[in-house]
Amino acid sequence: MDIDVSALPSPCYIVDERLLLRNLEILHSVQQRTGCSILLALKGFSMYSLFPLIGKYLKGVTASSLFEARLGHEEMGKEVHIYAPAYVEEDFEGILAHCDHITFNSFTQWQKFKHRVNGQSKKISCGLRINPEYSEIETPIYNPCYQYSRLGVTLANFRPEELEGIEGLHFHTLCEQNSDTLERTVKVVDQKFGQYIKTMKWLNLGGGHHITRPDYDLETLVQTIQFLQDKYGVAVYLEPGEAVALNTGYLVASVLDIVDNGMEIAILDTSAACHMPDVLEMPYRPNIIAAGKPGEYPYTYRLGGPTCLAGDVIGDYSFKKPLKIGERLVFCDMAHYTMVKNNMFNGVNLPSIACFKAEQGIKVIRKFGYEDFKTRLS
Ligand SMILES: *Cc1c(COP(=O)(O)O)cnc(C)c1O
């Protein structure tokens, strides 16, 4: 990393616009080669100060809720798609106002809201989420096809007689996967739901495509999209979250104290539980610049957060020199599924948010404080 982080507040997320641009170019090349449309899944990355830039490359956003839809509509102003396992009655007016594509999770939901969509003066295209009952995700909490999944209609529950007005089908069964997984999934979708895809205008292949990862096989993705377009004449949508922001940002943190209890433990001003919840939920071990696996370099530490949660531990890392109080550490790949998921458990403040642009360098966009903590409580 070539950004001088010493002047940043701590802790602070920093997104490097140059790296985001690199991802956007790759995603755009897929659109250009295939004519498909790529949407940013806001649940993974909602840094709206960058929406104008993202909107130059992608076709719009996909939302999981009214709030995300509104943010995408107001801050990017391009296509706004939405999908949720069930819509809240009181939200639906707002959803109609902000969205142009609405995907329903069941025929019951479609029947419930259908007349309200039809009563709109603007054109809103409706879709249904299907569950192809095929997924290669091994972690159950991330597998939408796991036993008794509530996500999407299975073939056995499909009601062809209620499809009138439905223009699209949607499936989302991938997570951080390459295009070989997509290819195998599309085979199953084609076999099970092909007769219905025939009558559709669009097909949404969901998210979880790790398109911007260095080893991602773009050729297979392009061929799979072209196969669907040629066979069914449908418009194809992809809605990655992670792939848009993958490897574009960092979390800069500082060492507050060092204690010893059988091993050396550094207490940081950032928390796994509050600022990088996927470290505990996924779980995974984020990389730190200039640090190695335990024992790889001479000085090994366990890195923990400032909350009272015993398990607020980021992991064990080794360093070439002993850590010092006040020293800064830079966690890698911290742009996606961090800012959108963080919380103020224990009253721990949120990291500031900064952006690095080639022309103007670092700009701190947002700092948080007591008011942000208090306004979520009563
Ligand atoms: C989570 C999700 C996405 C985005 O997934 P990524 O893994 O971030 O690419 C897209 N669509 C749906 C329906 C989702 O649930």
Side-chain angles (χ1 to χ4, degrees), residues 41 43-44 62 83 129 170 172 174-176 206-209 239-243 337:
K43 81 163 199 253
T62 192
Y83 158 79
R129 177 162 174 174
H170 175 293
H172 170 73
L174 275 65
C175 180
E176 301 186 338
H209 315 273
E239 45 180 32
E242 183 156 333
Y337 292 105

Side-chain angles (χ1 to χ4, degrees), residues 46-75:
S46 287
M47 190 166 161
Y48 57 87
S49 55
L50 293 167
F51 284 5
L53 176 73
I54 296 171
K56 285 188 187 159
Y57 292 82
L58 305 187
K59 297 286 163 51
V61 301
T62 192
S64 318
S65 61
L66 171 59
F67 290 172
E68 282 189 354
R70 178 174 167 185
L71 186 72
H73 186 210
E74 291 180 353
E75 300 295 331

